[in-house]
Amino acid sequence: MRAFFKPAVESRYKTPESLRVITANYCIALLPVIVAGCYAFGFHAFKVLLAATVSSVLSEYVYERLMKQPVTILDGTSLLTGLLLGLCLPSEVPLYVPVLGGIFATVVVVHLFGGYGFHIMNPVLVSRCFLLLSFQSVMTQYLVDGMSMATPLSIMRNGGVPNLKEMVLLNPNAGCIGEASVLALLVGALFLLVARKISLITPLVYLTVFSAFVCLFGEGTVSVNYLLSHICGGGLVFVAFFFATDRVTSPVGAPGKVVYGFLLGVITGIYRIMGTATEGVSYAVIFCNLLVPLIDKFFAPKVQPEGEEVRE
């Protein structure tokens, strides 16, 4: 399995230094998202983030020591994994949930596949799905100040209209910590785009195709508020810019990114509009991750031995 995925992975990360730079930029981009989430949900949200991060870093350290491998925690990948995982969780989950999630993402999804760069699916989203299946009651119970609250997408599914302004600026009723502010997510995404650490192609195609799907198959007459609520809710913006752009589990080359974004938009639309799931973005990304080797087989740019693309 490692031999099958290794060539594509090596074309994404050439040196440990480049990996450290990328993870550092992602961590900086997440700062406004972390601040917004902790402000909206309170101190327990910070504890969830801390538990997920410490669990990810320590589990990587312990695994590598036990396996007598070089310790790689200083490259920041396990730190970034923990931060992203914590942001994908509800703010009031018991702390054992992010701890187990961090261990599962780091050890099972990453290191059992050969380490960072060799995993075939996004470890954070796989871990989130594992936690949803294992602890459904606490993973789907969204509380604010001890009171159960309906998320924007559940409001829409029941025929209601969520507060779009809150969703963009600061929403204390968001499903997960990282969904508290779409504005904060866009600020972080803009930083990554300006720093040239992600490409705009996949998020742009993803959001465009999903919007078209909602307009074509949404219930009744699709209003602007309905469409924007779908885009701003359920972690779609978060996933589009911070997960769909992951260099290890996404295609290389512009044509592949277009195909990948198109598939993400269609599958997310099927989950959201035609299925019973209120979001489905995690499942859409995991499914499309499995198609990346096939996409790269047909659409990846040819590369010369020196590492330069062949221009035809």
Side-chain angles (χ1 to χ4, degrees):
M1 184 175 290
R2 180 188 296 189
F4 180 76
F5 290 101
K6 189 175 181 180
V9 170
E10 286 187 336
S11 67
R12 291 164 170 82
Y13 293 114
K14 297 180 180 179
T15 64
E17 287 74 21
S18 66
L19 181 57
R20 294 191 190 101
V21 171
I22 292 169
T23 54
N25 277 269
Y26 265 85
C27 290
I28 293 171
L30 288 174
L31 287 177
V33 185
I34 293 170
V35 171
C38 292
Y39 182 80
F41 297 112
F43 185 62
H44 197 274
F46 173 77
K47 292 193 290 184
V48 170
L49 291 173
L50 184 63
T53 303
V54 172
S55 171
S56 296
V57 174
L58 284 181
S59 59
E60 179 172 76
Y61 176 80
V62 171
Y63 179 88
E64 290 175 336
R65 290 300 299 268
L66 290 175
M67 296 294 107
K68 302 186 185 307
Q69 298 175 355
V71 175
T72 60
I73 59 173
L74 294 181
D75 63 18
T77 55
S78 56
L79 171 66
L80 179 60
T81 297
L83 287 175
L84 288 170
L85 176 62
L87 290 169
C88 287
L89 300 178
S91 61
E92 295 292 330
V93 292
L95 295 184
Y96 64 82
V97 173
V99 169
L100 291 175
I103 296 171
F104 187 87
T106 304
V107 176
V108 178
V109 188
V110 174
H111 283 286
L112 292 187
F113 279 84
Y116 190 83
F118 297 106
H119 52 282
I120 60 176
M121 296 178 288
N122 187 281
V124 173
L125 297 183
V126 173
S127 181
R128 183 176 187 272
C129 292
F130 162 74
L131 295 174
L132 276 169
L133 293 173
S134 303
F135 309 105
Q136 186 176 12
S137 60
V138 295
M139 284 290 293
T140 56
Q141 185 177 12
Y142 303 107
L143 300 174
V144 178
D145 294 331
M147 297 181 60
S148 179
M149 305 297 291
T151 63
L153 288 187
S154 63
I155 291 174
M156 294 175 66
R157 186 164 289 276
N158 293 325
V161 179
N163 189 322
L164 185 59
K165 183 178 179 180
E166 278 190 351
M167 294 172 70
V168 173
L169 298 179
L170 192 68
N171 185 14
N173 301 329
C176 297
I177 300 171
E179 301 172 25
S181 173
V182 172
L183 179 61
L185 289 168
L186 292 177
V187 169
L190 180 61
F191 173 82
L192 291 176
L193 288 168
V194 172
R196 303 187 69 176
K197 295 298 178 287
I198 64 172
S199 168
L200 185 60
I201 296 174
T202 296
L204 184 61
V205 174
Y206 184 4
L207 296 175
T208 301
V209 172
F210 174 76
S211 299
F213 194 99
V214 172
C215 292
L216 289 172
F217 301 105
E219 298 179 1
T221 303
V222 176
S223 64
V224 174
N225 187 79
Y226 177 83
L227 175 60
L228 291 177
S229 296
H230 260 297
I231 293 174
C232 294
L236 180 60
V237 173
F238 191 17
V239 168
F241 287 100
F242 288 90
F243 293 94
T245 57
D246 174 43
R247 296 192 179 201
V248 176
T249 57
S250 62
V252 295
K257 294 181 189 299
V258 171
V259 174
Y260 186 62
F262 177 85
L263 292 173
L264 285 171
V266 171
I267 295 172
T268 302
I270 292 173
Y271 270 112
R272 284 264 190 101
I273 306 301
M274 299 179 176
T276 57
T278 56
E279 42 178 296
V281 290
S282 299
Y283 303 112
V285 172
I286 291 170
F287 178 77
C288 289
N289 286 163
L290 298 175
L291 300 179
V292 167
L294 185 63
I295 295 172
D296 277 343
K297 180 177 177 63
F298 291 100
F299 296 100
K302 296 179 181 179
V303 179
Q304 293 178 336
E306 304 91 289
E308 296 182 359
E309 293 184 9
V310 176
R311 297 181 180 272
E312 295 182 349

